[in-house]
Amino acid sequence: MSTTMNDLEKLLPQGVSLTIAGETLTVKPLKVGQLPGFLRAITPVMQQITGTGIDWWAVIGERGGDLLSAIAIAVGKPREWVDDLDADDAVLLASTVIEVNADFFTRQVMPRLSALFAQVGDATSPGGSTPPSP
């Protein structure tokens, strides 16, 4: 069975090019060296965007600093560069980062967050694993 270029592109996610603030960027899947900082920054944001739609303005209002840090890490730009973007460009860039890394989010981040939320729920519920206080 031969593998075509289209098959490889499906297996290996490609970057998405877009022009932000007059600069052409290629948003690529995260590299392993980016993951620690990115995951620290994006975890609080992911709690906001676990539904079917994303209210970007609510996310920015409540977790904007975390989101902007995650974007900066994902695109390899200084946080100050991201801070200076127009709001529309920042939302476009954030949604592109999530889109390009969607497979990673659905296979790795979301299941781990769900498990973490379940553990926290079990530990805080009356019948959970936390022993009752005397």
Side-chain angles (χ1 to χ4, degrees):
M1 181 190 304
S2 67
T3 303
T4 66
M5 185 56 108
N6 285 340
D7 292 335
L8 287 175
E9 287 175 1
K10 289 176 187 172
L11 291 173
L12 304 171
Q14 302 299 304
V16 172
S17 293
L18 60 154
T19 301
I20 301 289
E23 185 175 340
T24 301
L25 299 174
T26 301
V27 179
K28 296 181 179 181
L30 293 164
K31 299 291 185 191
V32 72
Q34 295 171 298
L35 289 176
F38 182 83
L39 289 173
R40 276 192 301 276
I42 202 70
T43 297
V45 176
M46 293 305 294
Q47 296 171 15
Q48 296 284 126
I49 61 175
T50 56
T52 56
I54 299 172
D55 181 350
W56 285 109
W57 301 119
V59 171
I60 290 170
E62 295 177 27
R63 293 292 181 185
D66 296 323
L67 178 63
L68 297 176
S69 293
I71 292 169
I73 292 166
V75 298
K77 290 287 191 180
R79 168 66 193 267
E80 296 78 24
W81 183 87
V82 177
D83 287 347
D84 287 338
L85 293 176
D86 291 336
D88 289 343
D89 282 344
V91 169
L92 174 61
L93 192 54
S95 62
T96 303
V97 166
I98 290 173
E99 175 188 319
V100 167
N101 291 283
D103 186 54
F104 171 71
F105 282 108
T106 57
R107 283 187 304 108
Q108 298 293 328
V109 177
M110 297 309 292
R112 290 199 175 135
L113 282 177
S114 295
L116 178 63
F117 294 149
Q119 288 175 355
V120 169
D122 287 347
T124 59
S125 67
S129 59
T130 303
S133 54

